[in-house]
Amino acid sequence: MEKIRWKNSLSVGIELIDNQHKQWIEHYNNIVESLTSQQDRAQISKTLGFLIDYTEGHLSSEEKYMTANKYAGLPEHKAKHDELRATLSALVKEFEEEGATTQLSKAVDTFLGHWLINHIQEVDMKFGAFVRENKIVLS
Ligand code: FEO
């Protein structure tokens, strides 16, 4: 399980969204740190809670901008967000039932870390291009 480092190839070209992604990555890295350093259950639970809250805030924010600007790719993009919401719920359930197992760490790495990078580079990038092409100012 590795932390994610911000790099330019993750930029969607929209500062507001990039900043949210940087914060998102920081929350992801915090849960990686909590799991790899085997922090106590209460701390892991707290860190996981912060990640979930931030994730929901970010996904809702993007969906709000897509709706407000009549982005045609919204249904497809939102479906991906809903996949992540379901994955996070499953991870939390697993943590509550089994604790911080090796299996949970693998799931965080595979279903969350890899998902996050792929989503930014493939799905969010398209929305970033739409915002830039249409000279939309997000605020
Ligand atoms: Fe940045 Fe579509 O999540």
Side-chain angles (χ1 to χ4, degrees):
M1 193 168 38
E2 284 190 15
K3 289 185 180 180
I4 298 172
R5 267 197 202 172
W6 174 263
K7 51 191 176 196
N8 286 340
S9 64
L10 288 174
S11 173
V12 300
I14 308 295
E15 194 179 0
L16 182 143
I17 294 180
D18 284 347
N19 285 339
Q20 289 187 2
H21 287 158
K22 286 175 187 170
Q23 290 284 315
W24 197 14
I25 287 169
E26 204 173 306
H27 285 293
Y28 173 79
N29 288 341
N30 288 342
I31 193 66
V32 170
E33 176 71 28
S34 278
L35 291 170
T36 51
S37 62
Q38 299 179 326
Q39 290 175 346
D40 63 39
R41 193 180 175 111
Q43 185 58 50
I44 294 172
S45 177
K46 197 172 157 188
T47 309
L48 203 50
F50 285 141
L51 173 68
I52 286 163
D53 288 349
Y54 193 83
T55 301
E56 186 47 47
H58 169 64
L59 301 184
S60 301
S61 163
E62 273 187 9
E63 288 163 11
K64 182 188 79 177
Y65 291 129
M66 288 187 267
T67 303
N69 293 288
K70 300 181 172 44
Y71 177 57
L74 171 64
E76 192 189 344
H77 197 137
K78 187 175 179 305
K80 295 288 181 191
H81 285 177
D82 288 344
E83 265 178 29
L84 178 62
R85 289 176 170 112
T87 299
L88 276 170
S89 295
L91 288 176
V92 169
K93 191 167 179 282
E94 192 179 328
F95 174 69
E96 284 169 353
E97 288 172 0
E98 310 285 338
T101 60
T102 310
Q103 202 179 338
L104 180 78
S105 295
K106 279 186 188 159
V108 166
D109 187 36
T110 309
F111 298 119
L112 208 52
H114 292 184
W115 188 97
L116 205 150
I117 297 288
N118 288 340
H119 182 77
I120 291 175
Q121 289 185 321
E122 291 172 20
V123 183
D124 287 344
M125 210 61 87
K126 288 182 193 165
F127 180 56
F130 168 83
V131 171
R132 291 195 311 277
E133 280 160 17
N134 291 282
K135 300 185 173 24
I136 294 165
V137 178
L138 303 183
S139 57

